[in-house]
Amino acid sequence: MRAAALALVSAISSAGCVEDRLTVDINTVIHGDGSCTRHVAYQLERTNGDAADPPPELSPDRDPLRVFHRYPTGDAWTVQHELKARAHTVTLDARFASANDIGWDYWRAANSKAAPARNHFSFAMDGDDSNTRYEYSETFMDPASPLQGLRLLAQLLSQREDAFARQLAEQLDGMPLRRREVVQAFHDTVTVPFVAEVSRLSSGPVFGPREKAEIASLLDRLDPLSDTFAERVLALAPGLTPEQAKKAIDAAFETTFGDSLPADLAAAGLPIPFFGSDNPAHAIHFRVTLVMPAPIVRANTCAQGDTATWEFDGDDLYGRGFEMWAVAATR
């Protein structure tokens, strides 16, 4: 029953060695009166990995910066595009009376149905000229996480139990199998354990490295579940050999789920539930610099004087998102 995992891996690798690497450089300067200037540079580069041949050129319908991203509009913003055959740079510049007025300047969604990944701002200042305190927070969040993808897979397993039983009956033509019993066996040994595991992962209060590792390995557990299901099928059809059962189960699973799973995920605007280099979000890297109008006294990163910096990847936006905050004071 590795057909599900294999189909997803196939979807990932279907583009061969072509990689779209996106770097998002962000520079924010907070001024003494609370106003701010904002500069964002999206730098997309298409490579061919270690292959000698050049990758295909970026086309309007294949350029991530044109397909998935939106950019702020309005008089405050200056937006410039620089296009090359295999590279695309977008720069955004603006000045605002307060960082709260930015609203957002990072917005990425797989399609119109997907909840977008975006950033959120929160800024405040108080005090007087001799003692002013500045508090800045910016959070990047992506609600379309691999965990959401796993939830969809769990739903599809439940919804297609009967379709799978029909396919298995076709593969085992002539065997005395009752479809109702096959559906029940699949439900008990595959659907219920898988749904329970996804539910457990979903109920946690945090979304960290452990959860990522468990999600990355969850599809591999379909194999042991498949073995348990095969034992039930063998009990329902005593004349069946283990080899015949395995071959028929894999073929039925491939027909029922394999070809459609990547398309189902894409239609829902959800990512393929893998982490690491296989996850497209991992190919997005953020470098953020914040300059405050006074020395930074506290921050959730290293800070020197009035400057704080952060670096993170696109797959850090899941769960509670990636938050950056700093507090500065004139004394």
Side-chain angles (χ1 to χ4, degrees):
M1 203 172 288
R2 288 186 57 83
L6 292 175
L8 295 175
V9 171
S10 175
I12 294 172
S13 60
S14 61
C17 297
V18 175
E19 297 179 358
D20 289 328
R21 305 293 301 183
L22 175 62
T23 300
V24 185
D25 282 296
I26 301 173
N27 187 279
T28 307
V29 179
I30 306 296
H31 304 284
D33 61 356
S35 63
C36 76
T37 54
R38 182 83 166 178
H39 174 79
V40 182
Y42 295 79
Q43 297 175 312
L44 175 72
E45 181 180 2
R46 170 161 290 183
T47 69
N48 218 11
D50 297 329
D53 296 332
E57 296 184 1
L58 289 167
S59 59
D61 61 335
R62 298 280 183 173
D63 181 347
L65 289 184
R66 288 186 273 192
V67 176
F68 303 129
H69 289 259
R70 286 172 50 188
Y71 308 101
T73 58
D75 295 338
W77 289 101
T78 299
V79 181
Q80 296 180 314
H81 292 258
E82 181 182 349
L83 293 167
K84 296 181 180 179
R86 298 173 182 86
H88 185 180
T89 300
V90 182
T91 56
L92 315 175
D93 289 282
R95 178 161 184 153
F96 295 92
S98 167
N100 295 318
D101 298 331
I102 298 175
W104 60 268
D105 53 15
Y106 179 83
W107 184 289
R108 177 185 174 97
N111 56 43
S112 59
K113 295 182 180 179
R118 55 159 295 183
N119 54 344
H120 305 263
F121 297 86
S122 183
F123 172 76
M125 59 178 291
D126 57 32
D128 52 35
D129 293 339
S130 62
N131 185 14
T132 306
R133 181 182 175 89
Y134 303 87
E135 297 184 61
Y136 179 92
S137 174
E138 181 177 356
T139 303
F140 285 76
M141 300 184 69
D142 188 351
S145 73
L147 183 55
Q148 294 294 100
L150 280 178
R151 287 185 181 131
L152 178 58
L153 293 183
Q155 292 173 11
L156 292 174
L157 282 177
S158 179
Q159 293 169 2
R160 298 180 185 174
E161 290 175 341
D162 192 66
F164 171 78
R166 288 197 303 270
Q167 288 295 330
L168 184 60
E170 290 184 13
Q171 295 293 328
L172 296 173
D173 186 27
M175 287 291 178
L177 281 174
R178 293 185 177 88
R179 194 169 71 191
R180 177 177 56 80
E181 293 178 336
V182 174
V183 169
Q184 189 64 51
F186 186 86
H187 179 79
D188 293 343
T189 61
V190 179
T191 304
V192 169
F194 190 84
V195 170
E197 190 69 4
V198 172
S199 178
R200 182 187 67 80
L201 289 170
S202 303
S203 64
V206 297
F207 189 84
R210 184 182 68 181
E211 288 72 24
K212 291 182 179 180
E214 290 182 350
I215 288 175
S217 66
L218 181 53
L219 286 178
D220 287 337
R221 299 177 211 173
L222 283 173
D223 251 0
L225 295 179
S226 175
D227 293 340
T228 305
F229 172 68
E231 292 174 4
R232 289 278 293 269
V233 171
L234 289 170
L236 295 172
L240 194 64
T241 67
E243 292 74 17
Q244 289 173 323
K246 177 175 175 53
K247 182 178 179 180
I249 289 170
D250 285 347
F253 200 90
E254 175 69 30
T255 302
T256 309
F257 299 99
D259 292 337
S260 62
L261 286 182
D264 291 329
L265 287 166
L270 294 173
I272 291 172
F274 286 101
F275 285 98
S277 59
D278 287 335
N279 184 4
H282 189 73
I284 305 174
H285 186 69
F286 295 84
R287 296 191 294 245
V288 180
T289 302
L290 171 68
V291 180
M292 297 288 263
I296 294 174
V297 295
R298 289 193 301 122
N300 66 341
T301 187
C302 295
Q304 292 185 337
D306 61 358
T307 302
T309 58
W310 295 264
E311 292 204 31
F312 53 98
D313 294 323
D315 53 12
D316 292 316
L317 277 57
Y318 302 133
R320 295 179 180 177
F322 190 90
E323 181 184 13
M324 303 170 288
W325 61 265
V327 179
T330 55
R331 72 174 188 184

